[in-house]
Amino acid sequence: MVPVTVEQVVLLAEDGSAIGVEDKAVVHHADTPLHLAFSSYVFDSAGNTILTRRALHKKTFPGLWTNTCCGHPLPAEDMEQAVLRRLRDELGMKVASAELVLPAFRYRAVMDGVVENEMCPVFRVLTDDEPAPNPDEVDSTERVPWAEFAASVLDGTREISPWSKLQVAELVRLGPDPLAWPVADRAGLPTAVVLSPLQ
């Protein structure tokens, strides 16, 4: 495994095709270009999900509670492998696979003048492992029953990241049991996504 020194993100056209790369360190600002990302929700065998609070010194959305893990695939990196890489780097969780559940999720959000502007497929990850947060990325974690979490997000009683709020609204349409959600058709993914064939 080669360590990532300068992390780059994939820039996108409106049709989801790749049009270039930019250093992650400089891509987020008041006029952030559309780029490729992912979100993941880790569930245990009881249907609880792990929430994370973003580190207080992060450039984008510091201190905000959100879904388990977000990130950006490197240029030409398999997106499932990118999900697993970020779970390992941010939470010390070594998992074998991630399942696509929302292939076409897209959002734009602003906080303190910094914009997120992403095509951001959403993945489900199943493991009973406990997280060991990397303080450079994650301030703290909480394990919550999915039904309780989803209800509190939808009724506005839980403060959560703007992308997670939008994702939850789409995820609940997949059914009440997150362990039973269908794996999504990859045809809905942005064309820039690299994803290995299903085994």
Side-chain angles (χ1 to χ4, degrees):
M1 184 72 74
V2 178
V4 178
T5 49
V6 178
E7 196 170 343
Q8 292 187 309
V9 302
V10 178
L11 303 181
L12 299 175
E14 282 295 322
D15 66 358
S17 60
I19 55 171
V21 298
E22 181 65 86
D23 288 354
K24 180 185 171 187
V26 298
V27 77
H28 298 99
H29 45 72
D31 192 27
T32 301
L34 183 63
H35 59 280
L36 189 59
F38 58 81
S39 285
S40 65
Y41 289 74
V42 168
F43 294 96
D44 62 23
S45 54
N48 300 305
T49 190
I50 295 173
L51 307 180
T52 57
R53 187 179 188 220
R54 293 166 65 83
L56 300 177
H57 55 266
K58 287 185 81 73
K59 179 180 177 181
T60 55
F61 298 88
L64 200 62
W65 281 95
T66 191
N67 56 292
T68 313
C69 186
C70 300
H72 306 86
L74 302 172
E77 182 181 24
D78 179 276
M79 188 172 269
E80 181 184 1
Q81 293 306 309
V83 172
L84 305 185
R85 170 175 60 83
R86 291 308 297 166
L87 284 169
R88 185 179 64 247
D89 293 350
E90 291 193 11
L91 293 164
M93 303 184 86
K94 295 178 182 174
V95 293
S97 63
E99 298 171 313
L100 179 67
V101 288
L102 295 178
F105 180 76
R106 178 184 177 168
Y107 78 101
R108 187 179 185 278
V110 185
M111 183 178 184
D112 298 329
V114 177
V115 173
E116 278 287 14
N117 186 18
E118 299 177 337
M119 289 188 181
C120 182
V122 178
F123 290 79
R124 169 183 56 197
V125 176
L126 306 176
T127 179
D128 285 321
D129 286 355
E130 284 298 322
N134 173 353
D136 288 338
E137 300 287 347
V138 175
D139 175 77
S140 49
T141 66
E142 181 184 358
R143 194 181 290 268
V144 223
W146 170 256
E148 174 191 313
F149 168 65
S152 65
V153 168
L154 295 179
D155 70 15
T157 56
R158 181 184 288 271
E159 287 290 321
I160 200 74
S161 67
W163 59 88
S164 186
K165 185 173 184 177
L166 294 168
Q167 289 164 357
V168 168
E170 294 192 29
L171 289 168
V172 295
R173 296 187 199 126
L174 301 178
D177 179 3
L179 306 185
W181 291 340
V183 175
D185 186 344
R186 295 171 171 217
L189 286 166
T191 56
V193 171
V194 177
L195 204 53
S196 298
L198 291 167
Q199 299 300 312

